């Protein structure tokens, strides 16, 4: 059975983008463009996840969150916030949000966060205490997709979300030449208005942060094309 996702978003283009990409991944989506109507829909029907914009007509996202939690609705909620709106993020989490996405965002980030929140919600209570979390290893590099966390040589590497997504996409395709366009579309989204220079800047930053690992992955530049990730040894994904 597919997961049911309620999208409360009043900007038509963004609402269509969310609905389309979620539907492509098999989610059953309902889109509401008004705050009060969105709250009533959330209270009256069963959903597995809510994607909630903060700025809405009729009732803002903070009010919706508060009312949901006051009514005992524990449906996980991902809030949509403006870039650099740290106060919105803090307020959203305080009001009971489970995660957040800053606009503009790439399709990869959207789907990864939706999947992670749903997975976390389903497994947190049922998972035995000794069940290992998913991790991808490459030499002395440990990548935790569900937590957006990277550990290198025993130390956590402070990656920005887009740096993490670039690294994860490359690690999952070791030895393959990935074009800048591919990275741009997957990580930043097809509607991203920035240029390919954005990809180069993030890859350059990644390289600097991975230099400390003596047996870590190496990101090679393929002139005029893109990048290739070279593994120190065969990629290993421990069995759960």
């Amino acid at each position: 059975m597919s997961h049911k996702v309620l999208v409360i978003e009043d900007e038509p283009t963004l609402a269509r983008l969310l609905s389309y990409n979620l539907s492509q991944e098999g989610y059953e989506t309902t889109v509401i463009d008004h705050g009060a109507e969105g709250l009533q829909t959330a209270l009256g029907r069963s959903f597995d996840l809510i994607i909630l914009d903060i700025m809405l007509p009729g009732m803002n996202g903070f009010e919706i969150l508060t009312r949901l939690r006051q009514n005992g609705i524990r449906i996980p909620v991902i809030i949509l916030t403006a870039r650099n709106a740290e106060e919105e993020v803090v307020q959203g989490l305080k009001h009971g949000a489970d995660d957040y996405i800053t606009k503009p965002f790439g399709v990869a980030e959207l789907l990864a966060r939706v999947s992670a929140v749903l997975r976390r919600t389903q497994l947190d209570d049922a998972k035995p205490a000794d069940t290992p979390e998913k991790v991808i290893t490459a030499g002395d590099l440990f990548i935790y997709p569900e937590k957006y966390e990277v550990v290198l040589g025993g130390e956590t590497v402070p990656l920005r979300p887009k740096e993490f997504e670039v690294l994860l996409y490359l690690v999952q395709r070791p030895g393959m030449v990935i074009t800048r366009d591919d990275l741009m579309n997957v990580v930043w989204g097809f509607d991203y208005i920035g240029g390919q220079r954005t990809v180069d800047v993030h890859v350059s930053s990644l390289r600097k942060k991975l230099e400390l690992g003596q047996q870590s992955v190496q990101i090679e530049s393929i002139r005029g094309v893109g990048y290739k990730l070279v593994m120190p040894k065969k990629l290993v994904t421990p069995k759960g």
Side-chain angles (χ1 to χ4, degrees):
M1 179 180 292
S2 62
H3 291 290
K4 296 181 180 180
V5 180
L6 173 61
V7 177
I8 308 178
E9 168 60 60
D10 68 316
E11 202 288 305
T13 300
L14 180 54
R16 286 195 298 270
L17 174 69
L18 290 165
S19 179
Y20 173 78
N21 285 286
L22 289 168
S23 297
Q24 289 295 300
E25 290 296 306
Y27 298 107
E28 182 180 333
T29 61
T30 299
V31 179
I32 303 295
D33 63 1
H34 190 274
E37 183 182 349
L39 174 61
Q40 292 305 311
T41 302
L43 291 172
R45 295 169 54 184
S46 176
F47 293 96
D48 299 296
L49 175 71
I50 297 174
I51 297 178
L52 176 65
D53 194 15
I54 295 299
M55 302 303 295
L56 292 164
M59 179 181 292
N60 68 43
F62 299 137
E63 294 176 281
I64 293 173
L65 265 172
T66 298
R67 294 281 294 277
L68 287 175
R69 298 320 186 207
Q70 287 176 344
N71 281 273
I73 304 298
R74 306 309 305 168
I75 301 170
V77 174
I78 298 176
I79 58 173
L80 302 178
T81 73
R83 177 181 291 177
N84 299 324
E86 182 178 353
E87 183 178 349
E88 286 189 353
V89 172
V90 173
Q91 289 297 316
L93 296 176
K94 285 183 177 179
H95 281 77
D98 296 85
D99 202 353
Y100 66 92
I101 302 176
T102 56
K103 297 181 288 187
F105 52 83
V107 174
E109 178 183 3
L110 165 69
L111 297 177
R113 289 186 179 275
V114 167
S115 178
V117 169
L118 287 170
R119 195 162 48 239
R120 187 165 65 241
T121 302
Q122 292 176 329
L123 297 180
D124 274 352
D125 294 334
K127 185 174 68 173
D130 58 350
T131 299
E133 59 188 318
K134 182 179 180 181
V135 56
I136 298 173
T137 65
D140 53 3
L141 186 69
F142 292 77
I143 302 173
Y144 299 87
E146 298 176 5
K147 298 193 299 183
Y148 267 54
E149 183 176 305
V150 173
V151 176
L152 179 60
E155 298 291 333
T156 299
V157 181
L159 297 186
R160 291 175 293 174
K162 297 303 184 188
E163 292 173 347
F164 179 89
E165 291 168 29
V166 168
L167 177 61
L168 182 61
Y169 191 75
L170 291 172
V171 165
Q172 292 172 329
R173 295 157 181 80
M176 294 177 58
V177 177
I178 307 299
T179 67
R180 289 178 175 83
D181 281 340
D182 285 341
L183 283 170
M184 180 69 70
N185 291 336
V186 170
V187 176
W188 282 268
F190 290 96
D191 59 342
Y192 182 69
I193 61 175
Q196 292 184 346
R197 177 60 179 164
T198 299
V199 176
D200 297 334
V201 170
H202 281 73
V203 170
S204 176
S205 178
L206 262 177
R207 282 174 169 156
K208 292 178 181 178
K209 293 177 180 180
L210 297 178
E211 283 178 354
L212 296 178
Q214 298 179 350
Q215 299 180 39
S216 183
V217 298
Q218 300 295 319
I219 302 175
E220 294 186 357
S221 295
I222 307 301
R223 186 176 180 84
V225 181
Y227 298 97
K228 178 174 67 173
L229 188 134
V230 179
M231 308 296 293
K233 61 181 181 179
K234 185 177 180 180
L235 181 67
V236 177
T237 304
K239 297 180 179 179

